Amino acid sequence: MDKSKYEDIIKLPHHKSKKHKPMERHMRAAQFAPFSALTGYEETIFETGRETGKRITLDDNQKEEINYKLSYLLDFPEENIVSRITYFIPDKTKDGGEYVTVIDSVYKYNSMRKSITTKEGLEIFIDDILSLEYCI
């Protein structure tokens, strides 16, 4: 005869407390819900694995070309020339960053900060500019 090791207790009645009312179903279910024992661990793993690009160093000719184009844009603001500007945004949490391209008009130059401001209000530092092309 094949008897289970729980055969002697399987048919006993379920105990019901006389002092405490039964726990509600959703509260009981919450006891068995998964939880994160290491809060923030997944975010840390993601951040560690997130790749950033390296800043490209321009030679003197490339810098001179960008300065020439910027000078033209700033000398003739009434022409409202739309440009495609690719620039570097440093990452706030780790080495490197990413290159972003924006299409906008250059509005003004800030000599103290060595930056330009676009018509949409975006500040771009001159040293972060990788390329500047006029959109005609």
Side-chain angles (χ1 to χ4, degrees), residues 68-98:
Y68 175 79
K69 290 178 180 179
L70 281 173
S71 295
Y72 181 81
L73 293 173
L74 294 166
D75 285 344
F76 300 101
E78 68 280 352
E79 291 188 25
N80 202 22
I81 299 170
V82 177
S83 303
R84 179 182 296 110
I85 306 168
T86 301
Y87 64 100
F88 186 76
I89 299 177
D91 195 280
K92 293 179 180 169
T93 58
K94 58 197 302 188
D95 287 339
E98 67 177 323

Side-chain angles (χ1 to χ4, degrees), residues 76-127:
F76 300 101
E78 68 280 352
E79 291 188 25
N80 202 22
I81 299 170
V82 177
S83 303
R84 179 182 296 110
I85 306 168
T86 301
Y87 64 100
F88 186 76
I89 299 177
D91 195 280
K92 293 179 180 169
T93 58
K94 58 197 302 188
D95 287 339
E98 67 177 323
Y99 280 94
V100 176
T101 300
V102 64
I103 298 175
D104 201 350
S105 299
V106 174
Y107 176 65
K108 68 180 178 180
Y109 173 68
N110 184 327
S111 60
M112 296 292 285
R113 294 177 54 84
K114 295 185 179 175
S115 68
I116 57 170
T117 303
T118 66
K119 203 159 205 153
E120 295 293 322
L122 178 66
E123 181 180 32
I124 302 171
F125 294 98
I126 305 288
D127 290 339

Side-chain angles (χ1 to χ4, degrees), residues 1-5 7:
M1 185 160 35
D2 186 22
K3 286 192 166 192
S4 165
K5 61 182 178 178
E7 189 71 32

